[in-house]
Amino acid sequence: MMKKIVNFVLHLLNAYNDLKIKYKLIAIISIIMLVCLLFTIVGFQYAFKSYDEQIYRKSSQVLIMSSNQIEDELKNIEELSFNILKDNTLQTNLMKSKEEITNYEQYQIESEIWEKLTSYIGNEKYIQSIYLFDQYGREYRAGRDNSEKIDKYKSKLFKKSIAGDGSNVWVSFEDSSNLIYSTRQIKAYKNLSFELLATLVIEVNLDEIVKELPREWDGQEGGIIISNSERPFYLENSILNYEQLIFPIKNSQGYLIKKEKGRTFFITYSKSPYADWTYWNIIPFGAMFAKVTAMKYIVIIIFLLLYSGAIFLAIKFSKHITNPIEKLVSSMKSVQKGDFNIPESIKSNEYNFHNEVGILHNNFYMMIDRINELIKENYEKQLLIKDTEFKALQSQINPHFLYNTLESINWLAKINNQQKISNMVESLGYLLRNAISIKEDVITVREELEIVKHYVTIQKFRFEDRLNFEIEINEQEMDCIVPKLVVQPLVENSINYALETMIECCQIKVMVKKVKNDLHIIVEDNGIGMDKDRLENVMKGEYKSKGNGIGLKNIESRIKFVFGQEYGLTVESKLNVGTKVILVIPYRMRWEYA
């Protein structure tokens, strides 16, 4: 099971990773909004639960106050019945009614009893009528007109009073939901005979009592219901089917929510030990929760509006990101296929802004423009190279002709025993071949010194004894590598700037030696040297040399290009003392470089 869940989560993650950016943004916003909605719902549920408890406590307090007020009034009536029970006038007249008396005496008894009962009923506004029934069935009444329900339930009231054995008993009937009856037996207490004199019945109007109760929800439909262990016997408003109000009550107090006739009601109940009654306070659910329900709908509407707005903004925002990226991807696919011609309208107008997407567009199109320039430049260079190769092929005739001519002069000099001319011609031919050859840029020190020797051979014919040239090198340095034609220009510079300016003999010395892991090639002369300013201009490449030779700056650039920036040359010179040029290159053999 756990494996299936993991696989499902991985599948969702893979599906999410494959989504486009705008759909990912919509999914993220939807998840965030749903999480917020979930927390809102949980918070509302907690708040509603707390609100229910607050309402229950308030309703319970009101219900208890109402039940206490009802019971206080009923206890007053119960006390009134006890006062009637022990009233001397009533006791005396009821005792007389048992004797043989005349009609006039009976009339007097009835009048006195009526007056007494009327005095009692006059102090209680909730009592409708007071009845006394003696042993002979005679009825003594005070209050309103005779109630038909008394005649109907007289026998039941007598039975209840007998069961009470002198104590007060409260009796209710199904068809008299607004009336309740207090009944008890009246016994003679004179001489402690406790002889039954009459049955007392007090008819009480519960509606009048309930009207005086405090209301929790003024102006709202609701009401009080009172039930005993058998059934509800008082219903203030017929908003519920009271026959279904017999619920299994586990606690003495509580609340419940009940639906009846398509409506929902909030019901609190409280069980009273007095007469074993249960009081019910019924309030329409809408009366209490109208604002809460409205708030629920408002929150839902606000959430839907926010969600719609967030999705709209997400789509709008994502288009500003994804549309340029999709255009960029389309352009990249075109470039991938070899089409580097991007319309100028796309490159310059549509996404000319300075955020990340705009920078990406600008850099990409700048790259395409640069690639186009490089392609064009490379194409032109290739044409130039082809043209140069063709011209070089054509020019092969001239060097061959020159070599052949020099060879003829050499043989002619040898035939005529002109050894000096022969040596000069051979050295010149060697120099020309090495200068024109482009096969190798890096040669051995041995090969470089051979070029220098041939160059010096030609110069010796010119300067004779004025040039004293010397090479100092060990055999192990002969196979080290050096860029081609870096030593010969230095010797040429010594001849041009030292030897030509001197009358006496010029000493030019080439030394090659190993220093740690480097190879130092030193060209030293005893010429007139240079002052500090001229030396600085020479090192900067600002000093104009004689002819079109290779300058020191060019030699240093070649060394750095071949071996790295840490290598190069330095010049040491003192006026009227001489000049020393030191080339520093890595100590490498030919096979190591290859």
Side-chain angles (χ1 to χ4, degrees), residues 261-310:
K261 298 178 182 179
R263 299 175 63 187
T264 305
F265 298 91
F266 185 83
I267 303 172
T268 56
Y269 61 88
S270 177
K271 197 170 184 180
S272 173
Y274 180 77
D276 195 23
W277 290 349
T278 301
Y279 295 87
W280 307 78
N281 188 13
I282 300 177
I283 306 170
F285 199 81
M288 298 180 299
F289 294 95
K291 293 183 179 179
V292 176
T293 304
M295 185 59 66
K296 286 183 181 179
Y297 288 116
I298 290 172
V299 169
I300 292 173
I301 292 172
I302 291 175
F303 171 77
L304 292 176
L305 290 175
L306 288 176
Y307 180 74
S308 301

Side-chain angles (χ1 to χ4, degrees), residues 9-274:
V9 172
L10 291 175
H11 178 72
L12 287 179
L13 290 175
N14 292 331
Y16 173 80
N17 291 330
D18 293 336
L19 288 175
K20 291 184 177 180
I21 294 176
K22 56 185 176 183
Y23 297 128
K24 286 183 179 179
L25 190 59
I26 292 173
I28 290 172
I29 291 177
S30 299
I31 292 172
I32 292 173
M33 294 296 290
L34 289 174
V35 170
C36 292
L37 178 62
L38 180 63
F39 277 106
T40 302
I41 291 173
V42 172
F44 263 109
Q45 290 299 326
Y46 178 78
F48 294 156
K49 185 178 179 181
S50 300
Y51 188 61
D52 290 346
E53 292 175 354
Q54 291 293 332
I55 291 176
Y56 160 65
R57 283 194 286 269
K58 184 178 179 182
S59 299
S60 296
Q61 291 173 359
V62 173
L63 183 60
I64 291 172
M65 289 173 60
S66 300
S67 63
N68 289 337
Q69 187 170 334
I70 292 172
E71 290 175 359
D72 287 342
E73 297 298 334
L74 295 180
K75 287 177 182 178
N76 290 334
I77 295 172
E78 184 177 349
E79 185 177 355
L80 176 67
S81 69
F82 181 73
N83 292 333
I84 293 173
L85 178 146
K86 63 186 183 64
D87 187 273
N88 289 327
T89 303
L90 293 177
Q91 285 277 331
T92 302
N93 284 300
L94 288 174
M95 291 291 292
K96 288 180 180 180
S97 67
K98 294 178 64 176
E99 300 174 356
E100 293 183 3
I101 58 176
T102 63
N103 290 334
Y104 177 74
E105 289 174 336
Q106 181 62 38
Y107 173 75
Q108 284 184 331
I109 291 171
E110 290 178 0
S111 296
E112 290 181 7
I113 290 176
W114 178 82
E115 288 178 0
K116 199 62 177 176
L117 294 178
T118 302
S119 67
Y120 280 113
I121 202 173
N123 296 328
E124 299 292 338
K125 60 181 178 179
Y126 307 121
I127 297 176
Q128 289 197 151
S129 302
I130 299 176
Y131 298 88
L132 283 177
F133 300 95
D134 63 13
Q135 291 182 353
Y136 305 105
R138 289 190 294 264
E139 177 182 322
Y140 305 93
R141 177 180 59 82
R144 297 183 182 179
D145 295 336
N146 187 27
S147 175
E148 296 179 356
K149 294 178 180 178
I150 289 293
D151 295 333
K152 182 178 179 180
Y153 296 113
K154 187 186 297 183
S155 60
K156 292 183 180 180
L157 290 170
F158 290 169
K159 289 181 181 179
K160 292 290 184 180
S161 65
I162 293 171
D165 191 24
S167 61
N168 184 75
V169 178
W170 288 101
V171 183
S172 62
F173 301 105
E174 293 183 8
D175 57 351
S176 59
S177 60
N178 63 328
L179 299 176
I180 190 173
Y181 300 92
S182 171
T183 182
R184 69 193 310 168
Q185 291 180 336
I186 298 178
K187 296 182 179 182
Y189 60 86
K190 288 184 178 182
N191 301 323
L192 300 177
S193 62
F194 297 109
E195 180 183 358
L196 179 62
L197 299 177
T199 300
L200 174 64
V201 176
I202 302 176
E203 189 178 56
V204 180
N205 191 336
L206 279 177
D207 279 340
E208 296 297 328
I209 299 176
V210 173
K211 286 179 183 178
E212 304 294 330
L213 298 179
R215 296 296 175 177
E216 181 180 1
W217 305 91
D218 293 333
Q220 297 292 340
E221 185 181 5
I224 298 291
I225 294 177
I226 305 174
S227 65
N228 53 29
S229 59
E230 298 176 353
R231 56 177 174 75
F233 61 85
Y234 175 78
L235 182 65
E236 184 180 5
N237 287 321
S238 57
I239 55 175
L240 276 178
N241 185 359
Y242 65 88
E243 293 179 352
Q244 298 181 6
L245 276 178
I246 303 300
F247 304 109
I249 300 174
K250 296 181 180 180
N251 301 319
S252 60
Q253 291 182 1
Y255 72 95
L256 52 90
I257 297 174
K258 182 174 176 60
K259 289 187 177 181
E260 181 69 24
K261 298 178 182 179
R263 299 175 63 187
T264 305
F265 298 91
F266 185 83
I267 303 172
T268 56
Y269 61 88
S270 177
K271 197 170 184 180
S272 173
Y274 180 77

Side-chain angles (χ1 to χ4, degrees), residues 383-401:
L383 291 177
L384 182 61
I385 290 172
K386 293 294 183 183
D387 184 65
T388 303
E389 289 178 349
F390 178 72
K391 290 182 178 180
L393 183 63
Q394 289 179 327
S395 66
Q396 290 291 327
I397 300 172
N398 295 330
H400 289 158
F401 174 76

Side-chain angles (χ1 to χ4, degrees), residues 402-403 406 421-435 454-455 457-458:
L402 181 60
Y403 297 153
L406 290 175
I421 296 175
S422 175
N423 292 339
M424 183 181 290
V425 169
E426 287 179 354
S427 296
L428 179 61
Y430 185 85
L431 289 175
L432 287 174
R433 284 187 179 89
N434 281 277
H454 283 285
Y455 175 76
T457 297
I458 295 173

Side-chain angles (χ1 to χ4, degrees), residues 458-469:
I458 295 173
Q459 294 296 340
K460 274 186 173 290
F461 285 110
R462 177 185 174 189
F463 295 103
E464 295 181 347
D465 295 336
R466 289 177 56 200
L467 173 59
N468 186 4
F469 180 75

